[in-house]
Structures are given as structure tokens and as C-alpha cells.
Amino acid sequence: MTDISFPATSFRLIRDHLDGPAPAGLEGAVVALGNFDGVHRGHRAVIQAAEARARALGKPAAAMTFEPHPRVLFSPETPEFRLSSVDEKVRLLAATGLDGAIVMGFDKALAALTPAEFVQKVLVERYKVAGVATGFDFQFGKGRAGTTEFLRKEGERLGFAVDIAPPLLDAGERVSSGGVRSALTRGEVEHAWRLLGYPWFQSGEVVHGDSRGRDLGYPTANLKLDPNCKLRHGVYAVRVGVEGKRYDGVANFGRRPMFDTGVTLLEAFLFDFKGDLYGKTIDVAFYAFLRPELKFRSVEDLIDRMNEDSKSARQILAGAGNAFPQLADVAVARRG
Ligand SMILES: Cc1cc2nc3c(=O)[nH]c(=O)nc-3n(C[C@H](O)[C@H](O)[C@H](O)COP(=O)(O)O)c2cc1C
Ligand SMILES: Nc1ncnc2c1ncn2[C@@H]1O[C@H](COP(=O)(O)OP(=O)(O)O)[C@@H](O)[C@H]1O
């Protein structure tokens, strides 16, 4: 167990809707624009470009993101495996050192704005942006017709700075949310970690299970993940953040074929912890895939294997240094 000190933050979170009044607090900022699912290293490069420009201009720096993900509006029948919920995203953004984030409610009215209208109404009139930073492949506005080239021209015409970050490569692979998703789907959490720059994590409230864990000598804190989560089922070495402390542990994600539950859960056993976690929000970060879920001949065999899993996880995590996602406290962010 180690103490985590959250970065002190005066982070300002704005949840904006076009039909409401223009919110105060981040006018004149340099804005990093994007969906930022996972806030991976490529996203951080965009954020750094916004911060550098903001410093040069003596302005605040903020991220502007869209919620729900535009895909939810356009193709609700094919739900996306999201790397981060809006809360997780905001906590990641707040820890980057940005002054704030604008979460634009993405609805039909916003989707109907042409690229020129989005620039004029949202960026210029509503936020009076001093600059915009985005990734090389960002597209925006009705029909995704707005390109980075268009944004550059609009910036020149209307007087705001435009910075476009080139693709970021990791060992020849483009860092992308899609790359992280497919790594997680294969259980390759180390690869996801490389692309993200931090071990992937999921947050949630601890719920009650079947009280079986205690009898096995392995009480597990249970989280229901988003049903669209495509993380490979199996056993992982994890580190768990609880109320500013963190614990190494081992977790199973799946349906527990031993007990024919049919329900998909993330269940984490925390080493060197005793206490009650029900109702608490915890962060479970993934460091290594240990094995797939199995059906053992007996509960004793399962327990033997869980003992082995714990030993491997302890070894792996001892070699992981202090690595843990940098997360600011959302409760602090929300007060902003
Ligand atoms: C390290 C670890 C490994 C596990 N491996 C398996 C497994 O291979 N097969 C399985 O059916 N359940 C597995 N489980 C899930 C346990 O069966 C589960 O935690 C237990 O049923 C407790 O259920 P409860 O939380 O509802 O009380 C594993 C759990 C942990 C913590
Ligand atoms: N080391 C630990 N790791 C995880 N949970 C623990 C630990 N020690 C105590 N607990 C508590 O035990 C609960 C899990 O017990 P368990 O018997 O698995 O029941 P259930 O699955 O019904 O919640 C956790 O939610 C938490 O409150």
C-alpha cells in the first residue's frame, strides 16, 4: 500500500449545452479539441501543444470534448468499447495540468452545425478562443466535413492560433484509441500501457456479489464494467486505488465458469487489505494478463491456482515501480 498524493488543482470543469447560456470561466483559452478517449500519449501531445501555445499567449489552456461520443448519436446499434467514461476522462485531463475542460453535450443541434458554424458559434462567439490545438486527423462539423486545413484557414481569417499535432508513433505503430482497444481485447495490457502512457484502468462502485469469496479466503471487490467493455476475460495483476491509497492485487474479469454465474464482473482481491469496500469508488489498473478463466475440478484446485496467481501478481507488481495512472480528484474538479 502506498499513499497517492493527488495533484493540487484549480481545474475548472464546464458541462456545456448549446441551448443554455454561454458558461463563464474559460473564455479566451487555448483549446485542445478532440474526443480524447483514454487520453493516450497522442492526445497528450495535442494537450501539450495547447499548453505551450497558451503559455506563449499568456492564456489558460483547456480541453474541449464531446459527450456522449458522437458515434452514439450516429450509430447507436454498434456501441463502442470506450476506454474511459466521462468521469475517468475528466480525472485524466485534470491531472495533465490543463486549467480546465469543456464537455460539450453532443446532440442533434451540435451535430447539425456546419464546420464554419461550429467555428463561429462555439469557438469564436461562445468561448472567444485564443487558439485551438488538435490532432492531424481531427474532423468536425456536419458530415465530418471540417478538416484541420479548414481550421487553419479559419484561424487566420478570424484571428486565433491553430496547432496541429502530427501522428505520434510507438515502435512504428501509430498511437490511437483503436490500437489500445484491440490490445485490451487481446488481453495485452502491457501494450495498452505503452500506447496510453499509463496502465489502463476502470473505476466503479464496489457492489455486492454472492459472498463466496470470503469462504474461499479471497474476498473480492466487485465492479460491474460497461457492458461494451471488450477487455479479454481472464486473471490479471492489478493495482487498486481506494481513497488516496493503493494496493497491489489480483483480479478476475469474466463470468466465473466454476460457478456458472453468467454475469460478467471485475473482481479484485487486494493484498494486505482488510476492511469494507462496499459502496466505495475504486480504480483498478491492469499490469499483466496471467491466464484465462478456467473451470477447475474442485474449489480446492481453484484456491490453489488463486494462490499461484497471487504469487505471480506480487512478483510482477514488485517490478512495476510506482506506476499508476495520474488522476486528479473529480470531486475537486466538479467544485470548479
Ligand atoms: C485471482 C482470481 C482468480 C480467479 N479465477 C477463476 C477461474 O479460473 N474460474 C472461475 O470460475 N472463477 C475464478 N475466479 C472468481 C472466483 O470464483 C470468485 O471470486 C468467487 O466466486 C467469489 O465470488 P463472489 O465475489 O460473488 O463472492 C477468480 C478470482 C480471483 C480473485
Ligand atoms: N483484501 C480484500 N480484497 C477485496 N475485498 C475485501 C478485502 N478484504 C475485505 N474485503 C471486503 O469483502 C468484500 C467481498 O467479499 P466477498 O465474500 O467476495 O463477497 P461479495 O462478492 O458478495 O461482495 C469486498 O467488497 C470488501 O468490502
Side-chain angles (χ1 to χ4, degrees):
M1 186 267 283
T2 329
D3 277 314
I4 317 170
S5 47
F6 291 112
T9 178
S10 53
F11 189 79
R12 183 160 193 93
L13 175 62
I14 292 177
R15 288 169 184 268
D16 191 7
H17 231 273
L18 277 189
D19 53 13
L26 288 171
E27 303 90 345
V30 176
V31 170
L33 262 182
N35 285 307
F36 301 127
D37 187 25
V39 195
H40 60 55
R41 287 168 50 217
H43 297 143
R44 284 164 197 267
V46 171
I47 289 164
Q48 277 159 16
E51 285 173 333
R53 178 66 67 181
R55 265 197 306 278
L57 297 175
K59 300 285 185 183
M64 180 185 282
T65 185
F66 304 91
E67 212 42 56
H69 194 288
R71 193 160 300 177
V72 174
L73 195 73
F74 295 123
S75 42
E77 65 290 345
T78 50
E80 179 92 286
F81 166 19
R82 298 289 304 273
L83 298 173
S84 45
S85 68
V86 64
D87 282 7
E88 289 161 350
K89 196 195 293 186
V90 167
R91 291 168 68 209
L92 286 162
L93 289 170
T96 63
L98 282 169
D99 299 296
I102 302 157
V103 179
M104 291 295 304
F106 194 82
D107 57 9
K108 288 196 171 128
L110 189 69
L113 296 181
T114 64
E117 286 169 340
F118 177 80
V119 170
Q120 183 62 36
K121 293 196 169 138
V122 180
L123 299 180
V124 174
E125 287 171 19
R126 215 168 167 79
Y127 286 99
K128 303 175 176 55
V129 297
V132 166
T134 191
F136 70 103
D137 59 351
F138 185 66
Q139 289 174 289
F140 66 101
K142 194 175 173 199
R144 295 168 59 85
T147 60
T148 52
E149 202 35 52
F150 176 73
L151 202 53
R152 248 192 235 288
K153 288 197 181 120
E154 287 290 86
E156 265 171 39
R157 187 171 74 83
L158 296 162
F160 59 84
V162 176
D163 293 285
I164 308 296
L168 183 77
L169 299 180
D170 177 284
E173 176 190 358
R174 215 175 79 201
V175 173
S176 70
S177 301
V180 179
R181 283 186 202 108
S182 59
L184 294 174
T185 304
R186 297 191 301 267
E188 294 168 4
V189 292
E190 293 97 330
H191 189 172
W193 180 353
R194 276 231 319 274
L195 298 178
L196 288 166
Y198 62 86
W200 185 67
F201 73 102
Q202 289 283 273
S203 303
E205 194 179 305
V206 177
V207 297
H208 286 268
D210 301 328
S211 304
R212 203 182 294 120
R214 254 161 291 194
D215 300 338
L216 302 179
Y218 277 95
T220 52
N222 304 337
L223 302 189
K224 279 203 177 80
L225 302 189
D226 182 324
N228 302 314
C229 175
K230 298 283 195 311
L231 175 70
R232 182 177 176 189
H233 286 185
V235 180
Y236 292 86
V238 298
R239 201 163 263 170
V240 181
V242 188
E243 295 176 333
K245 301 207 163 54
R246 66 191 189 203
Y247 302 87
D248 287 354
V250 66
N252 186 64
F253 177 57
R255 290 198 232 182
R256 293 146 292 151
M258 270 308 275
F259 301 99
D260 287 326
T261 63
V263 180
T264 302
L265 281 179
L266 174 63
E267 304 184 305
F269 169 68
L270 284 58
F271 304 146
D272 313 313
F273 172 84
K274 278 197 181 67
D276 186 353
L277 295 169
Y278 293 121
K280 296 196 167 142
T281 296
I282 65 172
D283 303 312
V284 182
F286 296 83
Y287 292 73
F289 178 84
L290 301 179
R291 64 171 175 88
E293 281 191 294
L294 298 168
K295 188 161 178 160
F296 294 94
R297 267 184 313 170
S298 66
V299 170
E300 288 68 36
D301 287 356
L302 168 64
I303 294 173
D304 284 348
R305 191 58 182 265
M306 286 163 100
N307 292 338
E308 277 176 40
D309 295 334
S310 299
K311 227 169 117 187
S312 321
R314 277 190 192 272
Q315 263 171 15
I316 288 164
L317 291 159
N322 284 326
F324 198 72
Q326 274 238 356
L327 298 167
D329 189 340
V330 183
V332 174
R334 285 217 172 111
R335 277 201 294 275

